[in-house]
Amino acid sequence: MPLDVPAGYEILTEAALPGFLAAIPGVADRLGGDPGGWSVREVGDGNLNQVFLVDGPAGSVCVKQALPYLRLVGEGWPLGLKRAWFEQKAMRVHGPLAPGRIPHLVHYDERLFAIVMEKLSPHIILRRGLVQGHRYPHLAEHIGTFMAETLYGTSDLALPAAEKKSLVADFCANSELCGLTEQVIFTQPYMTHPNNRWTSPQLDGWAERARSDADWKMAAARLKSKFLASPEALVHGDLHTGSIMVTPDDTRVIDPEFAFFGPMGFDLGAILGNLWLNYFAQDGHATGTDPRADMQAWVLDTAEQVWTRFRARFLARWRGGATGDAYPAALFADDAGIRALEAERQAYMDRLFADALGFAGAKITRRILGIAHNIDLELIADPDRRALCEARCLTLARALMVETARFRTVADVTAGAKRIRETVQAP
Amino acid sequence: MPLDVPAGYEILTEAALPGFLAAIPGVADRLGGDPGGWSVREVGDGNLNQVFLVDGPAGSVCVKQALPYLRLVGEGWPLGLKRAWFEQKAMRVHGPLAPGRIPHLVHYDERLFAIVMEKLSPHIILRRGLVQGHRYPHLAEHIGTFMAETLYGTSDLALPAAEKKSLVADFCANSELCGLTEQVIFTQPYMTHPNNRWTSPQLDGWAERARSDADWKMAAARLKSKFLASPEALVHGDLHTGSIMVTPDDTRVIDPEFAFFGPMGFDLGAILGNLWLNYFAQDGHATGTDPRADMQAWVLDTAEQVWTRFRARFLARWRGGATGDAYPAALFADDAGIRALEAERQAYMDRLFADALGFAGAKITRRILGIAHNIDLELIADPDRRALCEARCLTLARALMVETARFRTVADVTAGAKRIRETVQAP
């Protein structure tokens, strides 16, 4: 371990876990019985974080510890480890705004950069469920509401300016992880970069287009500018279908280590983009006995519902009486003011929708041409079949980014996605 | 003095100044001679700050000390005093970007919240010079360049994101003074509020209109939202003609205690709006022997030149090679990319111009209907004559805020202002 790890930091082991947990007030009671009898399993991928699941006779917890971030070692270990601090801070802010939608936070250990939280069971990662063709009837309501509550609740509509700015300042320090997003989502896919990969040679033309299409690149650059300097609300910052855990009845948002004050459309676009990507990917998983047509219809409808539920809840909160410093209610108390404010709310939502579409397109593109791919597409073994799904994804993604104004409603995106699926052939 | 003033803080006196200054390395040499022989004069208004001018045989300094802020005593003294920290921090950031355009910073005393800086002499406050009918041939070049260099230099075009965010976080803490701006510029003039005053009864109708015109109020609310959450660059935050000191040859920007990361248009609008206000106010100072027609032409031309010089210098910096994370040059190196980036630069400047006009309108309005008036208009003794100037100001201000898109170029504003002067009669 390098010498510049913060004093006192050590990598937790399965053997050390019971002693670590037993010393935290309340945790021994939660697990029950004798620490020596607790079952401990490390289930993380070992690259960025360790994740331990701990079971006792009375209950269980999950422990997530940040590991020194090997790939960014040049930028210093302490900053890399601090992502755990941002994660627990985001949980503390978002948790009360969206009760039941994130794991319960039990404890944060500053020395070990470790979060002790509720163990989710029998939840699975949403992305995996979607790839397997499972539907989640409450997903849209849960996620739409989660975004409305957390984004509205940390915006200038809800928070007094001084309180919001204090939080903005806290999260300004999360610039290392924001910098990753700036690079791998908004920059690298549009240039020649060793991090990029794609289904080759099938998508070589698409990769070349992303590097040469000035309209597409400019759309990405504009979205990047918005990402850099639009502290609208505390966004999760990585709200794709891999950051959501589900059961048939429950939905939980995890892993907010990328949280910062950014554009609300970034969270909206993350979930919408990943659902639309999944829609096209279903064709790669369809079989004679599992044709996936109903699943595809459900995915598209769910994307529509995510936006619709978000919009309705956000507006309801705003109409219910803004508590922040933006759009002071006292200025719009007369009839003309009430009408003007309602018109402004509609325009505000239209602007958020356009932002969401742009970011959705960027999130789709990076999953196909950038460094980080996902199992919706990666699990399609036949490269030709995968490339066809991917070409359709990219067709929609570019349209969402470059021709954003063409999509006036979320139904327009549904119609556009269906048309693309019917018309776009093998690249 | 209340008990909660920070430990060690004390109010400086003329008698204490020599001892305080003599202990600061370099200051004694700068002043020369024996501290007992230094001349000390307190010239501040005593409400917010003390300002001492100190002269010795070899040179001179100016000492500005923050006083406990009586009007905001309920919010705590230490925060109030901390505005001195933001002022010196802004001087440290802006100074190297715009050499010669701010007073040289000699020393900042954290315990006394006191800034020791170059004494400007024989400078006078620009606003006073303009009211007296003086012209400053270098003003537009100096101020246009100052804004271009300080705003570009602290934007995402020039600064890497992590470096910028660190500064953004520092200035997030300046929320008390930002809150003043939010209240007295963007909120109170548009509602019934005991702080407001205006030339009454002549402008009673205008004051009523500001409280009932939904379009006008909504324009103010939109500008406020932009002010709350657009950390584009480190803005001065109070860049009116009272924050600029001039000689016929020199121009210095002072008093950046309202500095924070906000919309660039806020600084642009402050200076442009105050110049346009001064244009209309000249009619209140014209006499038979001093008709002010040439002065008015010069003021309008100067406003045009401020924008033109700003725009040219800002674009030159950007074209010269952006060093920040926005609009990565590597993405736009081919011919199509170069063309697209240049088109984006033009659109970027058009957007800044629209922002500047809106903020200019808000800055004019608050000077006539809000708490803080200025001598351009206050020194017009005859209330009818003053009210006529003010009605013209408000006509332009509302148009700039509500019908912003009507003004495509700064020449359009000049033409509009002239038309308003010719057509708007006594209110």
Side-chain angles (χ1 to χ4, degrees):
Chain A
M1 195 184 303
L3 291 172
D4 54 354
V5 163
Y9 177 82
E10 56 192 70
I11 293 178
L12 284 166
T13 61
E14 291 186 355
L17 251 281
F20 165 66
L21 290 173
I24 301 168
V27 172
D29 286 348
R30 175 185 276 261
L31 289 164
D34 182 71
W38 296 342
S39 130
V40 181
R41 274 186 308 141
E42 208 284 302
V43 299
D45 65 10
N47 194 13
L48 298 183
N49 302 295
Q50 298 197 102
V51 179
F52 298 92
L53 302 181
V54 184
D55 295 290
S60 56
V61 294
C62 169
V63 179
K64 179 175 176 182
Q65 181 185 36
L67 289 175
Y69 197 161
L70 296 174
R71 281 184 289 177
L72 284 177
V73 68
E75 294 191 33
W77 292 45
L79 186 58
L81 292 170
K82 208 191 165 187
R83 67 190 186 277
W85 186 89
F86 297 109
E87 177 164 347
Q88 62 86 34
K89 179 74 177 174
M91 292 176 77
R92 287 185 205 278
V93 177
H94 281 167
L97 294 169
R101 289 281 78 78
I102 68 169
H104 173 66
L105 177 67
V106 177
H107 176 77
Y108 176 64
D109 192 289
E110 296 214 343
R111 181 175 64 90
L112 299 176
F113 298 89
I115 298 169
V116 183
M117 66 187 123
E118 177 185 4
K119 174 187 160 189
L120 298 176
S121 177
H123 299 66
I124 65 166
I125 294 288
L126 171 61
R127 191 192 298 285
R128 192 161 293 277
L130 296 178
V131 171
Q132 291 165 355
H134 298 313
R135 297 175 223 178
Y136 298 93
H138 306 294
L139 176 65
E141 169 67 15
H142 285 166
I143 290 298
T145 303
F146 171 82
M147 290 193 292
E149 296 289 358
T150 57
L151 299 178
Y152 178 85
T154 56
S155 75
D156 283 313
L157 297 167
L159 291 180
E163 191 177 330
K164 175 165 175 263
K165 287 196 179 189
S166 170
L167 286 170
V168 171
D170 286 342
F171 283 95
C172 273
N174 203 7
S175 56
E176 185 179 39
L177 291 207
C178 284
L180 278 178
T181 300
E182 291 151 21
Q183 286 304 309
V184 303
I185 296 184
F186 298 114
T187 312
Q188 290 172 7
Y190 306 93
M191 62 193 293
T192 300
H193 195 283
N195 279 350
N196 295 337
R197 62 187 181 85
W198 57 85
T199 303
S200 182
Q202 291 87 344
L203 293 188
D204 288 359
W206 273 102
E208 162 58 24
R209 186 174 181 189
R211 294 192 298 267
S212 60
D213 179 338
D215 293 335
W216 200 357
K217 291 187 290 186
M218 187 54 73
R222 287 193 192 121
L223 290 163
K224 183 180 184 181
S225 286
K226 209 168 278 185
F227 182 87
L228 284 166
S230 304
E232 294 177 356
L234 180 60
V235 300
H236 176 284
D238 198 28
L239 193 52
H240 52 73
T241 49
S243 295
I244 298 171
M245 296 192 73
V246 288
T247 68
D249 299 315
D250 193 23
T251 311
R252 304 290 189 104
V253 173
I254 63 169
D255 289 350
E257 60 197 342
F258 283 83
F260 78 113
F261 275 76
M264 302 189 197
F266 191 68
D267 275 2
L268 289 158
I271 183 67
L272 291 174
N274 276 273
L275 287 171
W276 289 323
L277 178 150
N278 181 270
Y279 163 75
F280 291 115
Q282 292 291 339
D283 284 311
H285 303 287
T287 61
T289 56
D290 182 13
R292 299 288 176 109
D294 289 352
M295 181 67 190
Q296 286 182 306
W298 179 85
V299 171
L300 284 184
D301 182 61
T302 296
E304 287 200 16
Q305 292 296 320
V306 165
W307 169 254
T308 306
R309 303 295 178 107
F310 165 81
R311 186 179 189 284
R313 178 63 73 102
F314 193 101
L315 283 170
R317 285 285 178 229
W318 191 350
R319 290 181 186 130
T323 50
D325 281 321
Y327 298 102
L331 260 55
F332 303 102
D334 57 352
D335 286 349
I338 289 166
R339 282 194 303 274
L341 187 54
E342 184 55 28
E344 184 73 2
R345 289 189 189 108
Q346 301 292 328
Y348 188 103
M349 301 312 291
D350 288 348
R351 197 266 305 161
L352 277 190
F353 182 64
D355 282 0
L357 297 191
F359 285 119
K363 297 285 266 183
I364 294 171
T365 302
R366 65 79 62 111
R367 291 291 184 187
I368 297 169
L369 300 178
I371 184 174
H373 292 225
N374 57 30
I375 60 168
D376 311 61
L377 295 161
E378 294 296 285
L379 289 182
I380 303 169
D382 176 352
D384 287 330
R385 197 175 179 192
R386 183 169 69 244
L388 173 56
C389 298
E390 291 174 329
R392 290 169 175 167
C393 286
L394 290 171
T395 303
L396 179 65
R398 185 189 177 281
L400 291 173
M401 294 169 72
V402 176
E403 299 164 60
T404 315
R406 261 185 46 203
F407 303 94
R408 306 296 299 266
T409 69
V410 69
D412 291 343
V413 185
T414 296
K418 286 179 179 169
R419 203 163 44 244
I420 286 167
R421 181 169 169 271
E422 286 159 12
T423 57
V424 171
Q425 299 304 318
Chain B
M1 192 187 304
L3 292 172
D4 55 352
V5 162
Y9 177 81
E10 56 192 71
I11 293 179
L12 285 166
T13 60
E14 291 187 355
L17 251 280
F20 165 66
L21 290 173
I24 301 167
V27 173
D29 285 348
R30 174 185 276 261
L31 289 163
D34 182 71
W38 296 343
S39 131
V40 181
R41 273 186 308 142
E42 207 284 301
V43 298
D45 64 12
N47 195 13
L48 298 183
N49 302 297
Q50 299 197 100
V51 179
F52 298 91
L53 301 181
V54 185
D55 295 289
S60 56
V61 295
C62 169
V63 180
K64 179 176 175 181
Q65 181 185 35
L67 289 175
Y69 196 160
L70 296 173
R71 280 182 291 178
L72 283 178
V73 67
E75 295 191 31
W77 291 44
L79 187 58
L81 292 169
K82 210 191 164 187
R83 66 189 186 278
W85 186 88
F86 297 109
E87 177 164 347
Q88 62 86 33
K89 178 74 176 174
M91 291 176 77
R92 286 185 206 279
V93 177
H94 282 167
L97 293 168
R101 290 281 79 76
I102 68 170
H104 174 66
L105 176 67
V106 176
H107 177 75
Y108 176 64
D109 191 291
E110 296 213 344
R111 181 174 66 89
L112 299 176
F113 298 89
I115 298 169
V116 183
M117 64 186 121
E118 176 185 5
K119 174 186 161 192
L120 298 176
S121 178
H123 299 65
I124 65 166
I125 295 288
L126 170 62
R127 192 191 297 286
R128 194 161 293 275
L130 296 178
V131 171
Q132 292 166 354
H134 298 313
R135 298 176 221 176
Y136 298 92
H138 306 294
L139 176 65
E141 169 68 15
H142 284 166
I143 290 298
T145 303
F146 171 82
M147 291 193 293
E149 296 290 357
T150 57
L151 299 178
Y152 178 86
T154 56
S155 74
D156 283 313
L157 297 167
L159 290 181
E163 191 177 333
K164 175 164 174 265
K165 287 196 178 190
S166 171
L167 286 170
V168 171
D170 286 342
F171 283 94
C172 273
N174 203 7
S175 55
E176 185 180 39
L177 291 206
C178 284
L180 278 179
T181 300
E182 291 151 21
Q183 286 305 308
V184 303
I185 296 185
F186 298 113
T187 311
Q188 290 172 7
Y190 307 92
M191 62 192 295
T192 301
H193 195 284
N195 279 351
N196 294 336
R197 62 186 181 85
W198 57 85
T199 304
S200 182
Q202 291 86 345
L203 292 188
D204 288 358
W206 272 103
E208 161 60 22
R209 186 175 182 188
R211 294 193 298 267
S212 60
D213 179 339
D215 293 335
W216 200 356
K217 291 187 289 186
M218 186 55 72
R222 287 193 194 122
L223 290 163
K224 184 181 184 180
S225 286
K226 209 168 277 184
F227 182 86
L228 283 166
S230 304
E232 293 176 357
L234 180 60
V235 300
H236 176 283
D238 197 29
L239 193 52
H240 52 73
T241 48
S243 295
I244 298 171
M245 296 192 75
V246 288
T247 68
D249 298 316
D250 194 22
T251 310
R252 303 290 188 104
V253 173
I254 63 168
D255 288 350
E257 59 196 344
F258 282 83
F260 78 113
F261 274 77
M264 302 187 197
F266 191 68
D267 275 2
L268 289 158
I271 184 66
L272 291 174
N274 276 273
L275 287 171
W276 289 323
L277 178 149
N278 182 270
Y279 162 75
F280 291 114
Q282 292 291 340
D283 284 311
H285 303 286
T287 62
T289 56
D290 182 12
R292 300 289 176 108
D294 289 352
M295 182 66 191
Q296 287 183 305
W298 179 84
V299 171
L300 284 183
D301 182 61
T302 296
E304 287 200 17
Q305 292 296 321
V306 165
W307 169 255
T308 306
R309 303 295 178 106
F310 165 80
R311 186 180 190 283
R313 179 64 73 103
F314 193 100
L315 282 171
R317 284 287 179 225
W318 190 350
R319 289 180 187 132
T323 49
D325 281 321
Y327 298 102
L331 260 56
F332 303 103
D334 56 353
D335 285 350
I338 289 167
R339 281 193 304 275
L341 188 53
E342 184 55 28
E344 184 74 3
R345 289 190 189 108
Q346 300 292 329
Y348 188 103
M349 301 313 291
D350 288 348
R351 198 265 306 160
L352 276 190
F353 182 64
D355 282 1
L357 296 191
F359 285 118
K363 298 284 266 184
I364 294 171
T365 302
R366 64 81 58 112
R367 291 291 183 186
I368 297 169
L369 300 178
I371 184 174
H373 292 227
N374 58 29
I375 59 168
D376 310 63
L377 295 161
E378 295 296 286
L379 289 182
I380 304 171
D382 176 355
D384 287 329
R385 196 177 181 192
R386 182 169 69 242
L388 172 58
C389 297
E390 291 175 329
R392 290 168 176 167
C393 285
L394 290 171
T395 303
L396 179 66
R398 184 187 178 283
L400 291 174
M401 293 169 73
V402 176
E403 301 165 59
T404 315
R406 262 184 46 203
F407 303 94
R408 305 297 299 267
T409 68
V410 70
D412 292 342
V413 185
T414 296
K418 286 180 177 169
R419 202 162 45 241
I420 286 167
R421 181 170 169 270
E422 285 159 13
T423 57
V424 172
Q425 299 305 317

